[in-house]
């Protein structure tokens, strides 16, 4: 099962799933994202973890290989900590125990609120947001309404969600027993100190770095990402 990042959706990982043809791959739109509930009542970490656990139990013969990116990796880590019986192996792309300053959260909220919604076309959206891999993924996932294109998330839900993710969860991380691959991008969002500290405090964690990649390495360093993933979990 693969869990996407904040403001993303399962759509971003369709190419990853296709790179694993011998496997059943479950892609999830987490609450507040994609085709899931747009404005959930609960945006706590426990609500996201509970959703992931329910999907695993409903869709898989446990235990599973659980993969997550950024916020989704944080969710996956907490799920592995709370239900070790459900997780065989864990892959965390661009993740830590939970971090982020209030200034970072404010800036993110301001960025999402600055979008000139609705966009009149996908070309208009790309011109406004940029033409990078992440912007392309956002635009591809936008919802068409009578007045134009809208993102499939609400800024206030994103801020509430990431505020909860920012709370450090060292106790949970240090309790994870599943073999874990932590993948970082050279151009990602974490400092070397953060990366080293996080991996060193994992019980059974291995680190891999992707060259020339950003925080969204599954998009802009796809072949490196899938090689690393397949090397750890195999193709079946």
């Amino acid at each position: 099962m693969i869990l996407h990042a904040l403001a993303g959706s399962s759509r971003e990982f369709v190419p990853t799933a296709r790179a694993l043809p011998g496997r059943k791959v479950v892609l999830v739109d987490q609450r507040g994202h994609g085709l899931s509930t747009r404005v959930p009542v609960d945006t706590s970490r426990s609500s996201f973890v509970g959703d992931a656990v329910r999907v695993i139990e409903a869709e898989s013969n446990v235990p599973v290989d659980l993969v997550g990116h950024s916020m989704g990796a944080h969710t996956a880590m907490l799920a592995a900590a709370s239900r070790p019986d459900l997780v065989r192996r864990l892959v965390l792309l661009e993740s830590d125990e939970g971090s982020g300053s209030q200034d970072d959260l404010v800036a993110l909220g301001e960025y999402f609120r600055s979008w000139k919604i609705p966009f009149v076309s996908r070309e208009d959206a790309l011109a406004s947001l940029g033409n990078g891999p992440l912007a392309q993924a956002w635009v591809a996932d936008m919802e068409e309404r009578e007045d134009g294109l809208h993102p499939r998330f609400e800024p206030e839900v994103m801020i509430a969600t990431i505020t909860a993710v920012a709370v450090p969860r060292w106790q949970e991380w240090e309790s994870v027993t599943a073999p874990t691959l932590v993948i970082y991008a050279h151009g990602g969002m974490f400092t070397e100190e953060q990366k080293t500290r996080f991996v060193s405090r994992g019980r059974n964690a291995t680190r891999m770095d992707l060259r020339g990649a950003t925080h969204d390495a599954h998009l802009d360093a796809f072949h490196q990402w899938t090689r690393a993933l397949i090397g750890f979990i195999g193709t079946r």
Side-chain angles (χ1 to χ4, degrees):
M1 187 167 84
I2 304 178
L3 302 174
H4 61 79
L6 185 82
S9 79
S10 62
R11 182 178 185 141
E12 293 176 26
F13 285 94
V14 170
T16 298
R18 288 174 176 159
L20 301 167
R23 285 177 166 268
K24 175 183 178 179
V25 180
V26 177
L27 303 178
V28 179
D29 281 341
Q30 297 174 85
R31 57 177 59 204
H33 297 76
L35 298 178
S36 188
T37 304
R38 189 179 182 92
V39 184
V41 174
D42 189 353
T43 56
S44 66
R45 292 283 69 211
S46 61
S47 69
F48 279 81
V49 172
D51 293 340
V53 166
R54 283 187 287 274
V55 172
I56 292 171
E57 291 179 327
E59 298 293 335
S60 306
N61 294 321
V62 297
V64 303
D65 293 330
L66 185 57
V67 179
H69 171 220
S70 195
M71 177 202 75
H74 194 265
T75 304
M77 178 265 287
L78 295 178
S82 66
R83 290 295 304 273
D85 57 309
L86 298 184
V87 181
R88 177 173 52 196
R89 287 172 295 218
L90 183 64
V91 179
L92 308 178
L93 173 61
E94 282 283 296
S95 180
D96 70 354
E97 75 288 348
S99 62
S101 68
Q102 186 60 38
D103 287 345
D104 292 336
L105 300 177
V106 170
L108 184 62
E110 290 177 349
Y111 171 64
F112 285 140
R113 295 185 198 103
S114 74
W115 290 15
K116 305 302 183 183
I117 299 168
F119 298 110
V120 298
S121 66
R122 299 196 188 276
E123 292 74 19
D124 173 48
L126 287 172
S128 176
L129 301 178
N131 199 33
L134 180 58
Q136 290 178 27
W138 277 333
V139 172
D141 200 41
M142 284 185 177
E143 177 185 5
E144 293 190 30
R145 300 182 189 172
E146 289 185 2
D147 62 344
L149 295 170
H150 293 254
R152 292 189 185 274
F153 58 82
E154 295 292 339
E156 302 312 316
V157 174
M158 297 301 96
I159 299 312
T161 298
I162 202 63
T163 298
V165 173
V167 177
R169 305 295 287 264
W170 283 116
Q171 183 175 355
E172 289 89 340
W173 169 231
E174 292 172 348
S175 74
V176 172
T177 56
T180 303
L181 177 63
V182 184
I183 302 177
Y184 287 115
H186 281 188
M189 65 180 291
F190 299 103
T191 66
E192 182 59 33
E193 180 182 1
Q194 287 175 306
K195 297 173 187 178
T196 300
R197 182 173 63 244
F198 181 66
V199 175
S200 68
R201 291 178 66 169
R203 282 195 184 187
N204 196 6
T206 301
R207 173 178 167 180
M208 181 175 291
D209 291 76
L210 305 184
R211 296 184 179 278
T214 71
H215 183 65
D216 299 290
H218 64 296
L219 299 175
D220 61 31
F222 178 75
H223 295 296
Q224 285 189 76
W225 154 245
T226 53
R227 281 198 302 269
L229 180 62
I230 292 169
F232 187 67
I233 67 172
T235 56
R236 297 183 182 275

